[in-house]
Amino acid sequence: MQARQIGEVVRVTIPASMTKAEEDRWVAEMVRRIERHQHTAEIDLMQRALELASRYGLPAPAEVRWVDNQQFRWGSCTPVDGSVRISSRLAGFPAWVLDYVLVHELAHLEVHHHDRRFWELVDRYPRSERARGYLLAKETEATA
């Protein structure tokens, strides 16, 4: 399967052996991926993470990037090398939700587990509780 945007049209190429239901599902998924890519291209994640790290007294990451392969997480990090990965599913969400996920992952660069100290770091972000609720609602939508 392949998809690319040509002007205002998304051209999706799929195997002829697919059923109509499979075709509908994959066309919708490929269009969703292209839209996600367009949103992610507009956001400088590294700059945003550096600003948040500075503002909330968190470690600066060595690398921050979008990933498409996180279906069950909003973000992840590897404290050993300072890398942070953010699910491209967040690209269309409000900026304050993306900022929360970045703060969450930056806090993991200092505290690896979800203990009291970790949550104290995350809660420096004033919208953390609201963002957790938003993400919980999105997870519930996806599984409904």
Side-chain angles (χ1 to χ4, degrees), residues 57-88:
L58 297 166
E63 173 192 34
V64 184
R65 63 187 169 91
W66 293 107
V67 294
D68 294 325
N69 63 349
Q70 290 188 350
Q71 301 305 314
F72 303 105
R73 294 181 183 193
W74 298 112
S76 62
C77 78
T78 305
V80 172
D81 66 7
S83 64
V84 172
R85 291 158 307 281
I86 300 297
S87 173
S88 61

mmCIF file of all heavy atoms in Angstrom, residues 57-88:
data_model
loop_
_atom_site.group_PDB
_atom_site.id
_atom_site.type_symbol
_atom_site.label_atom_id
_atom_site.label_comp_id
_atom_site.label_asym_id
_atom_site.label_seq_id
_atom_site.Cartn_x
_atom_site.Cartn_y
_atom_site.Cartn_z
ATOM 1 N N GLY A 57 12.154 23.623 34.842
ATOM 2 C CA GLY A 57 13.311 23.083 35.545
ATOM 3 C C GLY A 57 13.515 21.593 35.340
ATOM 4 O O GLY A 57 13.837 20.868 36.278
ATOM 5 N N LEU A 58 13.357 21.158 34.116
ATOM 6 C CA LEU A 58 13.504 19.740 33.775
ATOM 7 C C LEU A 58 14.743 19.540 32.910
ATOM 8 O O LEU A 58 15.232 20.490 32.288
ATOM 9 C CB LEU A 58 12.257 19.258 33.033
ATOM 10 C CG LEU A 58 10.960 19.321 33.835
ATOM 11 C CD1 LEU A 58 9.757 19.160 32.933
ATOM 12 C CD2 LEU A 58 10.974 18.284 34.945
ATOM 13 N N PRO A 59 15.252 18.310 32.821
ATOM 14 C CA PRO A 59 16.416 18.058 31.966
ATOM 15 C C PRO A 59 16.089 18.315 30.493
ATOM 16 O O PRO A 59 14.983 18.025 30.032
ATOM 17 C CB PRO A 59 16.712 16.572 32.182
ATOM 18 C CG PRO A 59 15.977 16.185 33.413
ATOM 19 C CD PRO A 59 14.813 17.116 33.538
ATOM 20 N N ALA A 60 17.049 18.848 29.781
ATOM 21 C CA ALA A 60 16.895 19.051 28.338
ATOM 22 C C ALA A 60 17.147 17.731 27.623
ATOM 23 O O ALA A 60 18.076 17.003 27.970
ATOM 24 C CB ALA A 60 17.869 20.113 27.846
ATOM 25 N N PRO A 61 16.345 17.413 26.630
ATOM 26 C CA PRO A 61 16.550 16.170 25.887
ATOM 27 C C PRO A 61 17.689 16.310 24.874
ATOM 28 O O PRO A 61 18.009 17.417 24.432
ATOM 29 C CB PRO A 61 15.220 15.986 25.162
ATOM 30 C CG PRO A 61 14.757 17.387 24.920
ATOM 31 C CD PRO A 61 15.190 18.165 26.131
ATOM 32 N N ALA A 62 18.279 15.192 24.508
ATOM 33 C CA ALA A 62 19.276 15.184 23.439
ATOM 34 C C ALA A 62 18.582 15.147 22.077
ATOM 35 O O ALA A 62 19.094 15.688 21.094
ATOM 36 C CB ALA A 62 20.196 13.973 23.593
ATOM 37 N N GLU A 63 17.415 14.513 22.040
ATOM 38 C CA GLU A 63 16.671 14.354 20.784
ATOM 39 C C GLU A 63 15.190 14.233 21.112
ATOM 40 O O GLU A 63 14.821 13.596 22.099
ATOM 41 C CB GLU A 63 17.134 13.097 20.051
ATOM 42 C CG GLU A 63 16.306 12.771 18.825
ATOM 43 C CD GLU A 63 16.571 11.380 18.256
ATOM 44 O OE1 GLU A 63 16.847 10.448 19.024
ATOM 45 O OE2 GLU A 63 16.464 11.250 17.026
ATOM 46 N N VAL A 64 14.352 14.829 20.278
ATOM 47 C CA VAL A 64 12.897 14.673 20.383
ATOM 48 C C VAL A 64 12.385 14.490 18.964
ATOM 49 O O VAL A 64 12.721 15.264 18.076
ATOM 50 C CB VAL A 64 12.215 15.908 21.006
ATOM 51 C CG1 VAL A 64 10.727 15.654 21.169
ATOM 52 C CG2 VAL A 64 12.840 16.273 22.336
ATOM 53 N N ARG A 65 11.555 13.453 18.761
ATOM 54 C CA ARG A 65 11.043 13.231 17.410
ATOM 55 C C ARG A 65 9.655 12.603 17.456
ATOM 56 O O ARG A 65 9.265 11.984 18.434
ATOM 57 C CB ARG A 65 11.991 12.370 16.601
ATOM 58 C CG ARG A 65 12.193 10.982 17.130
ATOM 59 C CD ARG A 65 13.300 10.246 16.360
ATOM 60 N NE ARG A 65 13.682 9.030 17.013
ATOM 61 C CZ ARG A 65 13.144 7.845 16.785
ATOM 62 N NH1 ARG A 65 12.177 7.723 15.889
ATOM 63 N NH2 ARG A 65 13.550 6.778 17.430
ATOM 64 N N TRP A 66 8.943 12.803 16.358
ATOM 65 C CA TRP A 66 7.637 12.183 16.164
ATOM 66 C C TRP A 66 7.841 10.728 15.751
ATOM 67 O O TRP A 66 8.769 10.425 15.003
ATOM 68 C CB TRP A 66 6.867 12.875 15.046
ATOM 69 C CG TRP A 66 6.457 14.274 15.315
ATOM 70 C CD1 TRP A 66 7.010 15.395 14.766
ATOM 71 C CD2 TRP A 66 5.393 14.727 16.148
ATOM 72 N NE1 TRP A 66 6.361 16.518 15.215
ATOM 73 C CE2 TRP A 66 5.360 16.134 16.063
ATOM 74 C CE3 TRP A 66 4.470 14.082 16.966
ATOM 75 C CZ2 TRP A 66 4.436 16.895 16.764
ATOM 76 C CZ3 TRP A 66 3.542 14.849 17.662
ATOM 77 C CH2 TRP A 66 3.535 16.232 17.555
ATOM 78 N N VAL A 67 6.943 9.850 16.185
ATOM 79 C CA VAL A 67 6.948 8.463 15.734
ATOM 80 C C VAL A 67 5.520 8.042 15.411
ATOM 81 O O VAL A 67 4.568 8.536 16.005
ATOM 82 C CB VAL A 67 7.578 7.500 16.779
ATOM 83 C CG1 VAL A 67 9.064 7.779 16.959
ATOM 84 C CG2 VAL A 67 6.852 7.568 18.108
ATOM 85 N N ASP A 68 5.393 7.132 14.463
ATOM 86 C CA ASP A 68 4.079 6.638 14.043
ATOM 87 C C ASP A 68 3.740 5.275 14.626
ATOM 88 O O ASP A 68 2.652 4.776 14.419
ATOM 89 C CB ASP A 68 4.022 6.535 12.512
ATOM 90 C CG ASP A 68 4.096 7.891 11.836
ATOM 91 O OD1 ASP A 68 3.554 8.857 12.391
ATOM 92 O OD2 ASP A 68 4.709 7.971 10.761
ATOM 93 N N ASN A 69 4.694 4.654 15.330
ATOM 94 C CA ASN A 69 4.490 3.270 15.757
ATOM 95 C C ASN A 69 4.048 3.122 17.209
ATOM 96 O O ASN A 69 4.064 2.025 17.736
ATOM 97 C CB ASN A 69 5.761 2.458 15.522
ATOM 98 C CG ASN A 69 6.928 2.964 16.342
ATOM 99 O OD1 ASN A 69 6.876 4.026 16.941
ATOM 100 N ND2 ASN A 69 8.005 2.196 16.353
ATOM 101 N N GLN A 70 3.642 4.194 17.866
ATOM 102 C CA GLN A 70 3.165 4.085 19.243
ATOM 103 C C GLN A 70 1.642 4.083 19.253
ATOM 104 O O GLN A 70 1.012 5.131 19.163
ATOM 105 C CB GLN A 70 3.720 5.235 20.098
ATOM 106 C CG GLN A 70 5.184 5.108 20.344
ATOM 107 C CD GLN A 70 5.694 6.132 21.338
ATOM 108 O OE1 GLN A 70 4.997 7.059 21.730
ATOM 109 N NE2 GLN A 70 6.924 5.964 21.759
ATOM 110 N N GLN A 71 1.081 2.894 19.360
ATOM 111 C CA GLN A 71 -0.373 2.769 19.331
ATOM 112 C C GLN A 71 -0.986 2.828 20.725
ATOM 113 O O GLN A 71 -2.157 3.136 20.868
ATOM 114 C CB GLN A 71 -0.772 1.450 18.658
ATOM 115 C CG GLN A 71 -0.270 1.323 17.243
ATOM 116 C CD GLN A 71 -0.690 2.477 16.355
ATOM 117 O OE1 GLN A 71 -1.841 2.894 16.363
ATOM 118 N NE2 GLN A 71 0.245 3.014 15.596
ATOM 119 N N PHE A 72 -0.197 2.509 21.760
ATOM 120 C CA PHE A 72 -0.743 2.431 23.110
ATOM 121 C C PHE A 72 -0.086 3.415 24.077
ATOM 122 O O PHE A 72 -0.408 3.427 25.246
ATOM 123 C CB PHE A 72 -0.597 1.000 23.644
ATOM 124 C CG PHE A 72 -1.255 0.001 22.744
ATOM 125 C CD1 PHE A 72 -0.505 -0.816 21.924
ATOM 126 C CD2 PHE A 72 -2.642 -0.101 22.684
ATOM 127 C CE1 PHE A 72 -1.105 -1.727 21.080
ATOM 128 C CE2 PHE A 72 -3.253 -1.005 21.837
ATOM 129 C CZ PHE A 72 -2.490 -1.826 21.033
ATOM 130 N N ARG A 73 0.832 4.239 23.592
ATOM 131 C CA ARG A 73 1.496 5.245 24.407
ATOM 132 C C ARG A 73 1.414 6.583 23.693
ATOM 133 O O ARG A 73 1.410 6.642 22.477
ATOM 134 C CB ARG A 73 2.981 4.918 24.584
ATOM 135 C CG ARG A 73 3.249 3.685 25.364
ATOM 136 C CD ARG A 73 4.744 3.495 25.478
ATOM 137 N NE ARG A 73 5.045 2.264 26.170
ATOM 138 C CZ ARG A 73 6.215 1.953 26.627
ATOM 139 N NH1 ARG A 73 7.229 2.781 26.458
ATOM 140 N NH2 ARG A 73 6.412 0.827 27.255
ATOM 141 N N TRP A 74 1.421 7.636 24.482
ATOM 142 C CA TRP A 74 1.447 8.974 23.906
ATOM 143 C C TRP A 74 2.880 9.433 23.685
ATOM 144 O O TRP A 74 3.149 10.261 22.834
ATOM 145 C CB TRP A 74 0.702 9.952 24.811
ATOM 146 C CG TRP A 74 -0.737 9.602 24.972
ATOM 147 C CD1 TRP A 74 -1.345 9.162 26.110
ATOM 148 C CD2 TRP A 74 -1.760 9.640 23.973
ATOM 149 N NE1 TRP A 74 -2.686 8.928 25.873
ATOM 150 C CE2 TRP A 74 -2.961 9.219 24.567
ATOM 151 C CE3 TRP A 74 -1.777 9.996 22.622
ATOM 152 C CZ2 TRP A 74 -4.166 9.151 23.875
ATOM 153 C CZ3 TRP A 74 -2.975 9.920 21.930
ATOM 154 C CH2 TRP A 74 -4.147 9.500 22.546
ATOM 155 N N GLY A 75 3.794 8.896 24.487
ATOM 156 C CA GLY A 75 5.197 9.258 24.359
ATOM 157 C C GLY A 75 6.049 8.241 25.070
ATOM 158 O O GLY A 75 5.548 7.404 25.823
ATOM 159 N N SER A 76 7.338 8.297 24.831
ATOM 160 C CA SER A 76 8.280 7.427 25.527
ATOM 161 C C SER A 76 9.638 8.106 25.517
ATOM 162 O O SER A 76 9.875 9.042 24.745
ATOM 163 C CB SER A 76 8.357 6.046 24.869
ATOM 164 O OG SER A 76 8.830 6.159 23.545
ATOM 165 N N CYS A 77 10.513 7.640 26.393
ATOM 166 C CA CYS A 77 11.851 8.207 26.406
ATOM 167 C C CYS A 77 12.860 7.150 26.807
ATOM 168 O O CYS A 77 12.508 6.121 27.390
ATOM 169 C CB CYS A 77 11.940 9.420 27.333
ATOM 170 S SG CYS A 77 12.061 9.031 29.064
ATOM 171 N N THR A 78 14.101 7.414 26.471
ATOM 172 C CA THR A 78 15.222 6.570 26.859
ATOM 173 C C THR A 78 16.172 7.459 27.652
ATOM 174 O O THR A 78 16.931 8.234 27.057
ATOM 175 C CB THR A 78 15.920 5.970 25.618
ATOM 176 O OG1 THR A 78 14.942 5.291 24.835
ATOM 177 C CG2 THR A 78 17.024 5.005 26.029
ATOM 178 N N PRO A 79 16.099 7.395 28.981
ATOM 179 C CA PRO A 79 16.926 8.274 29.808
ATOM 180 C C PRO A 79 18.430 8.131 29.556
ATOM 181 O O PRO A 79 19.164 9.117 29.645
ATOM 182 C CB PRO A 79 16.572 7.854 31.239
ATOM 183 C CG PRO A 79 15.192 7.288 31.131
ATOM 184 C CD PRO A 79 15.168 6.605 29.794
ATOM 185 N N VAL A 80 18.888 6.941 29.193
ATOM 186 C CA VAL A 80 20.316 6.713 28.990
ATOM 187 C C VAL A 80 20.893 7.637 27.917
ATOM 188 O O VAL A 80 21.975 8.194 28.084
ATOM 189 C CB VAL A 80 20.582 5.229 28.630
ATOM 190 C CG1 VAL A 80 22.016 5.009 28.228
ATOM 191 C CG2 VAL A 80 20.201 4.327 29.783
ATOM 192 N N ASP A 81 20.163 7.825 26.823
ATOM 193 C CA ASP A 81 20.680 8.687 25.747
ATOM 194 C C ASP A 81 19.913 10.007 25.610
ATOM 195 O O ASP A 81 20.190 10.816 24.727
ATOM 196 C CB ASP A 81 20.734 7.944 24.412
ATOM 197 C CG ASP A 81 19.360 7.567 23.867
ATOM 198 O OD1 ASP A 81 18.340 7.988 24.440
ATOM 199 O OD2 ASP A 81 19.321 6.855 22.851
ATOM 200 N N GLY A 82 18.916 10.228 26.466
ATOM 201 C CA GLY A 82 18.181 11.490 26.456
ATOM 202 C C GLY A 82 17.224 11.661 25.298
ATOM 203 O O GLY A 82 16.821 12.779 24.976
ATOM 204 N N SER A 83 16.814 10.567 24.676
ATOM 205 C CA SER A 83 15.916 10.679 23.528
ATOM 206 C C SER A 83 14.456 10.566 23.968
ATOM 207 O O SER A 83 14.116 9.793 24.862
ATOM 208 C CB SER A 83 16.237 9.619 22.478
ATOM 209 O OG SER A 83 16.010 8.329 22.998
ATOM 210 N N VAL A 84 13.609 11.357 23.315
ATOM 211 C CA VAL A 84 12.175 11.375 23.588
ATOM 212 C C VAL A 84 11.459 11.150 22.269
ATOM 213 O O VAL A 84 11.811 11.733 21.243
ATOM 214 C CB VAL A 84 11.752 12.728 24.210
ATOM 215 C CG1 VAL A 84 10.233 12.823 24.315
ATOM 216 C CG2 VAL A 84 12.409 12.933 25.567
ATOM 217 N N ARG A 85 10.445 10.282 22.309
ATOM 218 C CA ARG A 85 9.622 10.012 21.140
ATOM 219 C C ARG A 85 8.176 10.352 21.486
ATOM 220 O O ARG A 85 7.685 9.990 22.544
ATOM 221 C CB ARG A 85 9.758 8.540 20.738
ATOM 222 C CG ARG A 85 11.152 8.239 20.200
ATOM 223 C CD ARG A 85 11.530 6.775 20.288
ATOM 224 N NE ARG A 85 11.388 6.162 21.593
ATOM 225 C CZ ARG A 85 12.253 6.295 22.609
ATOM 226 N NH1 ARG A 85 13.310 7.059 22.491
ATOM 227 N NH2 ARG A 85 12.060 5.674 23.756
ATOM 228 N N ILE A 86 7.522 11.055 20.577
ATOM 229 C CA ILE A 86 6.148 11.493 20.785
ATOM 230 C C ILE A 86 5.276 10.900 19.674
ATOM 231 O O ILE A 86 5.604 11.008 18.493
ATOM 232 C CB ILE A 86 6.057 13.038 20.755
ATOM 233 C CG1 ILE A 86 6.941 13.656 21.851
ATOM 234 C CG2 ILE A 86 4.611 13.499 20.877
ATOM 235 C CD1 ILE A 86 6.555 13.308 23.275
ATOM 236 N N SER A 87 4.179 10.286 20.069
ATOM 237 C CA SER A 87 3.263 9.692 19.098
ATOM 238 C C SER A 87 2.686 10.758 18.173
ATOM 239 O O SER A 87 2.203 11.799 18.630
ATOM 240 C CB SER A 87 2.124 8.980 19.820
ATOM 241 O OG SER A 87 1.156 8.547 18.884
ATOM 242 N N SER A 88 2.722 10.481 16.899
ATOM 243 C CA SER A 88 2.168 11.431 15.925
ATOM 244 C C SER A 88 0.658 11.581 16.086
ATOM 245 O O SER A 88 0.070 12.520 15.559
ATOM 246 C CB SER A 88 2.513 11.000 14.500
ATOM 247 O OG SER A 88 1.966 9.727 14.217
#
